[in-house]
Amino acid sequence: MIGKLHDAPLNLLKMDALLRRLPPYHNRYEEVKEQLKMYSAGFYGEKSIDFPLSFLEEKRFMIYHDLRLYDGTHHFQIDTLVISQHYILIIEVKNISGTLMFDPIFNQMIRISNTKEEAFPDPLIQVERQRYQLQLFLSKLKLPKIPIETLIVISNRSTVLKATHEIDAITSKVIRSEYLPTKVRSIDKRYPIEILTMKQVRKLGRFLVKQHDPLDRDILKQFSIPVADLLVGVQCSSCARLPMLRVHGKWFCESCSFASKNAHLKAINDYALLISKEITNQEFRGFLELSSEDAATRLLKSMNLEFSGANKGRRYLLDIHQI
């Protein structure tokens, strides 16, 4: 049973908004584009294991995606956590193309693509660190000590896997996504004893979701981009042109003639992702390139936003959505 669905990471949503709001000639454009590509590949790789996970017995397993927890000293991220009455399984998903060479001697993973070699941190060390941190996290709860297993799942079907040494140890931990149900059945056989009741499993899951703390970076600071460099206006969802015009209560695109009543919602979402989760009427007009204060007031009221202050000092509180 799915206890927590995949959430697009905030950093991914922010990079998507940032790339759309940067001029193509900007000196950070290609860097943001490359980072967005990498984050997108990782996220869709994580989602791709939903199919093999669907073969697990729904009544026996609780599945939680995209958890970020705090062990008392450090935060740690888990792609997918599978909880049963017998054991807990940490799954780290890698969606990397080319040939992956696991090198336990130098604790690295090497990607070979088009004769180019590139070193990555060793995911075997990564999942062991996640196991240790999860043990610390669970030690604060009044639960029986339960075994924690780890797996690295390669989601890209075209990836070639190799190892320099310790092949048996690596192949026991690194698998292709389609082998996941079979591997879980193999792990099942090693843990026949029930450690937790189903009530405890569900209670633990609810606690994990409650403790989930999404990473929320200042994306402009991350890439050293000033607010003034951002493109403003309402973006056309049909042709991506900026800005749309406000005509007779609708947003109109001069480029493709697309019209929309609520195109401003995505623009406001971009503002919340990139600049601030609070906005004034004046800031609203500036970012949407809207000249009418009355029209801005009507649009802000139509969104039923919480606010603080009054008159010119009123600040509307913005939520972030996956639009």
Side-chain angles (χ1 to χ4, degrees):
M1 180 178 174
I2 305 296
K4 183 180 178 296
L5 297 169
H6 294 281
D7 296 323
L10 267 177
N11 222 39
L12 178 60
L13 298 176
K14 289 184 177 190
M15 275 190 282
D16 176 69
L18 179 57
L19 191 67
R20 287 186 289 100
R21 295 273 170 188
L22 278 183
Y25 55 79
H26 194 278
N27 64 343
R28 294 286 186 177
Y29 185 88
E30 290 301 323
E31 182 185 355
V32 174
K33 185 178 179 180
E34 189 59 33
Q35 286 286 312
L36 176 60
K37 181 181 177 182
M38 183 182 71
Y39 270 79
S40 296
F43 178 61
Y44 290 114
E46 291 170 27
K47 291 187 72 173
S48 71
I49 71 165
D50 286 353
F51 180 68
L53 284 173
S54 70
F55 287 92
L56 302 186
E57 293 179 51
E58 190 172 341
K59 293 181 179 179
R60 292 188 55 228
F61 298 97
M62 296 292 294
I63 301 171
Y64 300 86
H65 298 291
D66 308 308
L67 286 170
R68 183 172 180 265
L69 305 170
Y70 185 65
D71 66 12
T73 305
H74 302 99
H75 282 90
F76 62 106
Q77 182 86 28
I78 294 177
D79 289 345
T80 296
L81 193 69
V82 180
I83 306 177
S84 75
Q85 294 176 259
H86 304 255
Y87 62 92
I88 292 174
L89 173 62
I90 295 172
I91 298 176
E92 175 67 23
V93 183
K94 297 297 181 187
N95 182 20
I96 304 174
S97 60
T99 297
L100 295 185
M101 180 77 73
F102 289 83
D103 179 9
I105 302 299
F106 291 101
N107 303 119
Q108 62 184 344
M109 181 178 70
I110 303 167
R111 193 260 293 270
I112 305 169
S113 181
N114 298 324
T115 70
K116 178 185 175 182
E117 290 190 3
E118 184 179 4
F120 290 81
D122 188 347
L124 292 162
I125 293 177
Q126 182 182 357
V127 292
E128 283 307 307
R129 183 171 60 246
Q130 290 170 352
R131 186 218 297 265
Y132 172 72
Q133 290 182 280
L134 184 59
Q135 285 173 335
L136 288 178
F137 179 88
L138 295 177
S139 67
K140 300 175 178 63
L141 307 179
K142 294 179 180 180
L143 287 173
K145 189 173 181 180
I146 186 167
I148 300 174
E149 286 283 331
T150 60
L151 281 178
I152 298 158
V153 175
I154 308 300
S155 62
N156 193 317
R157 292 185 177 183
S158 65
T159 302
V160 177
L161 301 177
K162 294 183 179 181
T164 58
H165 300 81
E166 302 177 21
I167 294 176
D168 288 344
I170 291 170
T171 56
S172 70
K173 292 290 184 181
V174 182
I175 64 170
R176 294 188 177 278
S177 57
E178 59 267 27
Y179 186 64
L180 183 54
T182 303
K183 185 66 176 181
V184 170
R185 286 193 290 271
S186 173
I187 295 173
D188 279 345
K189 293 177 182 178
R190 299 206 297 270
Y191 300 104
I193 300 173
E194 289 185 4
I195 307 296
L196 303 176
T197 65
M198 277 310 299
K199 183 178 180 180
Q200 288 173 318
V201 168
R202 294 190 185 96
K203 185 177 180 180
L204 172 59
R206 289 192 297 270
F207 183 72
L208 289 168
V209 172
K210 186 176 180 181
Q211 293 299 308
H212 171 59
D213 182 20
L215 180 63
D216 191 1
R217 289 176 177 161
D218 183 333
I219 196 77
L220 297 183
K221 186 176 181 181
Q222 181 181 337
F223 288 98
S224 301
I225 296 172
V227 174
D229 288 2
L230 299 179
L231 298 171
V232 296
V234 174
Q235 188 174 39
C236 177
S237 60
S238 179
C239 70
R241 179 77 178 268
L242 279 163
M244 297 181 81
L245 303 178
R246 187 72 178 169
V247 181
H248 302 305
K250 289 185 179 180
W251 296 100
F252 177 76
C253 178
E254 288 186 302
S255 177
C256 70
S257 299
F258 176 76
S260 169
K261 286 186 176 181
N262 58 6
H264 59 282
L265 296 178
K266 189 164 188 176
I268 289 305
N269 204 52
D270 288 350
Y271 188 93
L273 287 165
L274 301 175
I275 300 174
S276 174
K277 293 177 184 175
E278 295 184 351
I279 195 168
T280 64
N281 187 297
Q282 183 179 3
E283 290 165 343
F284 183 87
R285 283 180 280 131
F287 193 72
L288 271 64
E289 291 202 331
L290 187 63
S291 59
S292 170
E293 184 175 349
D294 289 339
T297 299
R298 287 194 297 271
L299 286 172
L300 285 165
K301 285 184 176 179
S302 72
M303 289 187 281
N304 297 316
L305 300 171
E306 293 184 23
F307 59 85
S308 61
N311 302 322
K312 298 288 185 181
R314 177 168 291 181
R315 302 194 66 82
Y316 295 87
L317 308 181
L318 306 177
D319 291 324
I320 292 174
H321 302 281
Q322 296 185 39
I323 297 177

